[in-house]
Amino acid sequence: MVEQVEAGKMKLFALSSNRPLAEKIARVAGVELGKATVKHFSDGEIQISIDESIRGDELFIIQSVSDPVNTNLMELLIMVDAARRASAAKINVVIPYYGYSRADRKARSREPITAKLVASLLQMDGVNRVIALDLHAAQLQGFFDIPVDHLQSDRLLASYFEDNTDLNAENTVVVAPDHAGVSRARRLAELLGTPIAIIDNRSETENATHPEAVIGDVRHKHAILVDDIIDTAVRISVSAVALRNAGAANVYACATHAVLSGDAAVRIDEAPLEKVVVTDSIQIPADKQSDKFVVMSVDELFGRAINLIYHEQPVDQLFRSPIMKK
């Protein structure tokens, strides 16, 4: 007699990029992380085995495509292939940080659109749904022909500044570090009820060292620089200097993804920044820690989203709820 097995269970699996975050997401979702083994051979090849039955189950595979970007991307693709071959009913990939997201268009002749390539690889691999956080450009959702749930950390980041009793709507201004970041700054400013200002930085790269000017009134105000990614930290550092030179009382910064390439942590320590608020979408290594960092966890945001998706409930209620306190 064939044993009756409950079908369609929700199962979460973590790969190598950010296991601490995956464990917290699993606790919020109310399940334990599934059992899988990830092995790296000396020549760089990756072997993954799923150490439990997943036949007929709905999987959520958690992996940030962060440093080492290509290794973590291959881990994700190989895990999806393993899950598909093991007869998982649905495969959802949870990508707190979507690597290559900045390569989202042809800015010059003969350039690839690598963000689209990554989307194509995930779809060809058999992914049914993508759950991502603060994509570099919201239009990246259009690169997929499968459902994409684009979560946003604005409310989580805003909660830190709401809890800071020194800041209020009258003495605070939210600042975009360049013209491309105005919409992001406006969203945070609307949550906090503050005006916005703009650093007139006309460079197409993050490495511009001489902003043209500060547009808006920042004199004697607490300035909050907001960005989606802190990579080399050049832009955020020179923007902080420009704001202090324009008369800002002090400068905070916030960003979703702390990529922190090279000497980014050193630049942040040396910059006139009070605090830098980031999320744990990327695990910050010990050698890049700073006393200025305030890390807000996105575990509740992802855990709640996973439960809503599994139970086929609308995810947009996450954006209508009050600012999440952590």
Side-chain angles (χ1 to χ4, degrees), residues 16-27:
S16 301
S17 69
N18 197 341
R19 190 172 181 88
L21 173 59
E23 290 172 348
K24 290 188 286 186
I25 292 173
R27 282 197 292 270

Side-chain angles (χ1 to χ4, degrees), residues 105-121:
R105 66 193 188 283
K106 282 187 67 172
R108 302 172 187 82
S109 300
R110 298 173 296 281
E111 276 193 341
I113 305 178
T114 319
K116 167 59 177 171
L117 173 61
V118 172
S120 299
L121 289 171

Side-chain angles (χ1 to χ4, degrees), residues 30-66:
V31 298
E32 293 185 358
L33 285 176
K35 298 175 182 177
T37 302
V38 181
K39 182 177 180 180
H40 289 227
F41 293 103
S42 57
D43 66 349
E45 289 187 6
I46 300 166
Q47 181 186 65
I48 292 178
S49 61
I50 300 173
D51 303 327
E52 61 184 81
S53 174
I54 59 170
R55 183 178 297 273
D57 294 330
E58 181 166 357
L59 268 58
F60 292 84
I61 302 170
I62 304 169
Q63 176 82 327
S64 282
V65 184
S66 54

